[in-house]
Amino acid sequence: MRSKTIVSVVMPVLNPYPVYFRQTIESVLNQTFEDWELVIVEDPSPRPAAEILKDYPDPRIRHFVNPQRTSLVKQRNRALHEAKAELIACQDADDISEPERLEKQVKFMESHPEVAVLGTWLRVIDEDGRTLGFRRYPCDHDDIVRAMPVYNPIRQPSVMFRREIALKHGGYRYEKFPAVEDYDLWCRMAKNGMKFANLPEPLVRYRVHRGGMKSSKLKGVLMGTMEIKRIHFGDELDIRAKLRLMGERLLLFLPPKFVLWLFLKTSVKP
């Protein structure tokens, strides 16, 4: 029998950067909604999370360490299986959740039982926490599904979803390229008629820094994004989606620093 904990915040961790990791943990501890647990699944690394977590002796924090290096997908899936709650909130180890994030998402999910996956807009911040811009996404289900062949309109760092529905659809699977396993899961769920929504406010501060997955391995992310589109949409791509795909192919030939600059340039300015 599962616990009555309302939300399991799940966080894969590998070699956490101390300053950012502390800020992330504190952003969960400072939530206005208190009926949560934090499930941390760590792959072993030279900078273990335990050294930092000992400063946060909250019984709601559950820390699991894999005996050997696995993968981001396997870490995410283990967190889903270890979670006690039926609502899952994703949290990256270098991002910051606004204090009301869980409260607002839980309220929406409880009042919209038909919605399986709920994201939010993002505030993009730099290494020092300064606001660089905002990422806004469609909020209604139909608009979200229409956007999926073009880009990923549900951002993993902000998402809350129903655990059993995600597991029913196979959980995370895609491992060929990094950091697009969520896009693959959302596409599978959308193809099976699951409902999506985004809250129209930035409830997560999404950090872009030199050591993060977001700024490294960008070409792999692009290649994975293109492959996800081919797998799930193939000949269904309309002219807008095809033009976007062409643009992504061109980005493969550009320096990663320039690609990251474009990402920041297209963020809505503060």
Side-chain angles (χ1 to χ4, degrees), residues 37-214:
E37 64 166 357
L38 174 58
V39 179
I40 297 173
V41 175
E42 180 180 10
D43 271 1
S45 63
R47 197 161 49 195
E51 295 180 7
I52 295 171
L53 291 173
K54 67 184 180 183
D55 295 333
Y56 303 98
D58 191 305
R60 294 173 296 177
I61 298 176
R62 302 169 60 219
H63 181 209
F64 302 90
V65 182
N66 291 321
Q68 59 190 16
R69 181 75 174 102
T70 61
S71 68
L72 181 58
V73 165
K74 289 181 174 63
Q75 285 177 276
R76 292 198 188 283
N77 284 330
R78 181 176 181 186
L80 289 185
H81 287 283
E82 298 287 358
K84 295 178 180 178
E86 292 307 320
L87 288 178
I88 300 294
C90 293
Q91 177 77 50
D92 283 353
D94 53 2
D95 295 333
I96 297 172
S97 286
E98 301 293 356
E100 296 181 346
R101 176 198 167 183
L102 295 183
E103 181 177 356
K104 289 183 175 181
Q105 287 188 295
V106 168
K107 182 178 179 180
F108 184 95
M109 294 295 270
E110 288 181 341
S111 61
H112 296 81
E114 75 283 3
V115 171
V117 181
L118 174 67
T120 79
W121 292 353
L122 302 176
R123 178 191 298 269
V124 183
I125 61 174
D126 67 9
E127 296 175 332
D128 299 315
R130 294 177 296 232
T131 299
L132 300 174
F134 299 88
R135 304 296 289 186
R136 297 175 180 169
Y137 304 97
C139 296
D140 296 330
H141 170 76
D142 290 343
D143 293 335
I144 290 169
V145 171
R146 275 194 293 268
M148 277 191 182
V150 184
Y151 66 97
N152 183 0
I154 298 285
R155 304 310 298 177
Q156 176 90 0
S158 74
V159 81
M160 179 176 285
F161 60 83
R162 301 189 193 277
R163 176 182 175 276
E164 291 300 329
I165 294 178
L167 290 176
K168 180 181 177 181
H169 286 85
Y172 296 97
R173 291 178 182 172
Y174 186 84
E175 295 195 76
K176 185 175 178 180
F177 293 104
V180 293
E181 67 282 345
D182 60 316
Y183 190 19
D184 171 63
L185 176 56
W186 312 148
C187 290
R188 278 186 274 125
M189 294 174 72
K191 287 279 189 174
N192 284 289
M194 298 301 102
K195 298 296 183 182
F196 293 80
N198 276 313
L199 292 180
E201 56 183 310
L203 294 177
V204 171
R205 290 178 238 171
Y206 178 81
R207 193 187 304 273
V208 176
H209 61 95
R210 284 169 291 184
M213 173 65 77
K214 308 169 191 77

